[in-house]
Amino acid sequence: MKKKIFTLLLALITTSAHADFSTRAKSAFLIDYESGAEIVAKNADELMPPSSMIKLMTLTVLFDEIKAGNFTMDDRLTVSENADYNNPLWYPASKICLVAGQTISVRDAILGLIVLSGGDASVVVAEKLAGSESAFTELMQKKAREIGMTQSTFGNASGLPNPNNLMTSRELAMLANYVITNHPDIYPLFATKRFEFKEHQTDWCREWGRTHTMNYNKLLFTMPGADGLKTGHTEDGGYGMVASAKIGGRRLIGVINGFRGDSHDALATEMKKLLNYGFTNTTNKVFYRAGDKIAKIPVWYGRQPYVIATVEKTFAITLPKSDGLSGVRVLARYDDPIPAPVKKGDKVGEIIAEKNGEVIARAPLIAMDKVSKTQFFGRVIKNIRVMLGI
């Protein structure tokens, strides 16, 4: 069995974050969605209070339950006293304005969380999925670890001040990436600019709801291509935003936290500056997408002589626009032959990008189809052919 290495492409690539972007935010992080390359990273791994950006995790747990078939958008959720607008907890907080005993559809709960940043809706979701908000934080923690978020911790589902509510900008971007990738059917709801809840139960709530319909994410109103995700604000933590924009087929994900501006409009301006920096100064090169046929790998003792290798997700590189082209090797590396059996999705090698001999990007090569092992007599015949050199 020999290790085979094939040069596939030449291109210019980079994955290093730029240091020349300036922001007043305490933390900022910007990545290319397809390549995963860091474009800006300022205190990206520092744990900070996420405020209402934590609701992205609340929504993620719910989205996964919907995807698993455990809920539909039309299912009704019951509001407890914990989520009642008369609870003093919600007096100064963002909310839908719910009353204990009423029910709310899953769709309205989601829109209430996205557009109105409804902390009361987060409690309704938490209690439905886990029985209590405290138990739900355990689900949030478990989901975070499954996604690969190793540092984030959760004290509640709403983002109200709690010492256990801590997330990094890098992990907030990771969470946004997960939502965009795994829930493409639900993600468009994050671009909703206005939501008017139709089921208020009291005159006070109806009047309150009349003036609270616009999304706190003002980037949606000021930047073409912006389509999500979530803002947050507390007096102690300042303003924060997880955002994404898609321009010319290219998507960037940005995070700002600890921004000491005076409004959500100022926050949107700062995020627009961050995203525009990425679009203006960098571009990306897509080499392969999931399902592309990259390599034809011989299989030892296989019912078929070869297996086709592809990538599980897009293999792309982000590069500075100002650098011009320079030679970089993109390689496919695998054993020749690989032993049968091979299952569909098995790792059969890797694709690597090298610059000046240094590996700067890599991804697994996976089998597009299964290759079963030949029966005993087939293996005997194979051995005879090998010995005879035929």
Side-chain angles (χ1 to χ4, degrees):
M1 189 176 294
K2 299 178 180 179
K3 180 72 71 175
K4 287 290 185 73
I5 302 175
F6 291 93
T7 301
L8 300 173
L9 296 164
L10 295 177
L12 167 77
I13 64 177
T14 180
T15 56
S16 59
H18 293 247
D20 55 344
F21 177 79
S22 176
T23 177
R24 291 186 293 147
K26 184 177 179 180
S27 177
F29 191 57
L30 180 67
I31 62 170
D32 183 281
Y33 171 69
E34 288 190 305
S35 71
E38 299 176 18
I39 301 171
V40 172
K42 177 184 178 181
N43 298 325
D45 297 305
E46 181 175 344
L47 285 166
M48 299 173 61
S51 58
S52 284
M53 292 182 290
I54 207 171
K55 293 184 176 85
L56 278 179
M57 181 56 77
T58 303
L59 287 163
T60 296
V61 176
L62 176 58
F63 291 168
D64 283 355
E65 289 291 321
I66 294 171
K67 188 174 182 178
N70 297 326
F71 291 93
T72 71
M73 287 292 195
D74 295 325
D75 284 344
R76 307 290 296 188
L77 310 177
T78 301
V79 179
S80 74
E81 292 185 0
N82 295 321
D84 191 298
Y85 82 101
N86 286 304
N87 185 331
L89 188 68
W90 307 118
Y91 288 174
S94 54
K95 54 186 171 287
I96 298 178
C97 202
L98 302 173
V99 175
Q102 78 173 105
T103 63
I104 180 173
S105 71
V106 169
R107 179 180 294 276
D108 281 354
I110 290 172
L111 286 170
L113 278 159
I114 290 173
V115 179
L116 305 179
S117 196
D120 48 0
S122 69
V123 172
V124 173
V125 169
E127 292 180 339
K128 178 62 177 181
L129 269 59
S132 68
E133 188 173 9
S134 61
F136 185 73
T137 61
E138 297 178 11
L139 295 183
M140 297 170 76
Q141 188 93 352
K142 180 181 178 183
K143 182 60 62 178
R145 299 301 181 260
E146 290 175 357
I147 293 171
M149 302 164 60
T150 61
Q151 296 192 75
S152 298
T153 59
F154 307 93
N156 57 45
S158 65
L160 288 175
N162 185 297
N164 290 322
N165 283 342
L166 293 170
M167 301 179 75
T168 69
S169 290
R170 184 186 303 277
E171 293 193 355
L172 280 164
M174 191 181 300
L175 182 58
N177 186 300
Y178 180 88
V179 170
I180 295 168
T181 301
N182 291 278
H183 299 288
D185 53 334
I186 301 178
Y187 179 70
L189 292 178
F190 282 94
T192 304
K193 295 179 179 179
R194 183 174 182 271
F195 169 59
E196 185 176 352
F197 185 53
K198 300 292 188 181
E199 300 181 15
H200 285 124
Q201 301 295 300
T202 69
D203 290 340
W204 192 92
C205 280
R206 277 187 283 272
E207 179 60 25
W208 187 91
R210 187 180 63 81
T211 58
H212 291 76
T213 61
M214 305 304 291
N215 199 318
Y216 287 100
N217 183 357
K218 304 308 177 186
L219 190 72
L220 298 175
F221 302 88
T222 61
M223 183 175 183
D227 56 10
L229 296 160
K230 191 73 190 71
T231 65
H233 173 249
T234 61
E235 290 298 323
D236 292 337
Y239 286 90
M241 179 189 289
V242 183
S244 185
K246 190 173 184 179
I247 297 177
R250 182 189 180 199
R251 179 179 294 283
L252 299 182
I253 296 173
V255 181
I256 284 175
N257 203 2
F259 177 67
R260 294 295 176 180
D262 59 4
S263 66
H264 281 93
D265 290 313
L267 173 65
T269 299
E270 195 73 3
M271 178 57 76
K272 185 177 181 179
K273 183 175 76 170
L274 176 65
L275 290 167
N276 278 337
Y277 176 88
F279 284 118
T280 300
N281 292 281
T282 68
T283 187
N284 69 339
K285 171 68 176 179
V286 175
F287 294 120
Y288 295 105
R289 299 187 184 277
D292 287 350
K293 297 179 180 180
I294 298 174
K296 188 177 181 181
I297 305 177
V299 179
W300 183 252
Y301 288 148
R303 285 182 177 270
Q304 291 81 39
Y306 299 97
V307 66
I308 302 299
T310 186
V311 284
E312 186 176 15
K313 59 182 180 180
T314 300
F315 185 72
I317 304 300
T318 296
L319 54 130
K321 286 183 178 179
S322 61
D323 277 6
L325 293 177
S326 62
V328 172
R329 296 196 305 169
V330 178
L331 313 168
R333 182 177 294 167
Y334 53 83
D335 290 331
D336 179 9
I338 58 173
V342 179
K343 297 177 182 177
K344 182 179 180 179
D346 276 355
K347 181 180 177 181
V348 293
E350 63 179 346
I351 184 169
I352 299 170
E354 291 183 351
K355 184 176 183 180
N356 299 326
E358 180 183 355
V359 176
I360 54 177
R362 69 199 318 152
L365 289 172
I366 62 171
M368 289 187 68
D369 296 293
K370 71 174 183 178
V371 178
S372 301
K373 196 172 185 177
T374 58
Q375 298 299 321
F376 174 76
F377 288 109
R379 297 196 294 272
V380 170
I381 293 172
K382 176 68 174 179
N383 289 337
I384 293 173
R385 285 178 174 173
V386 170
M387 288 187 290
L388 296 177
I390 59 176

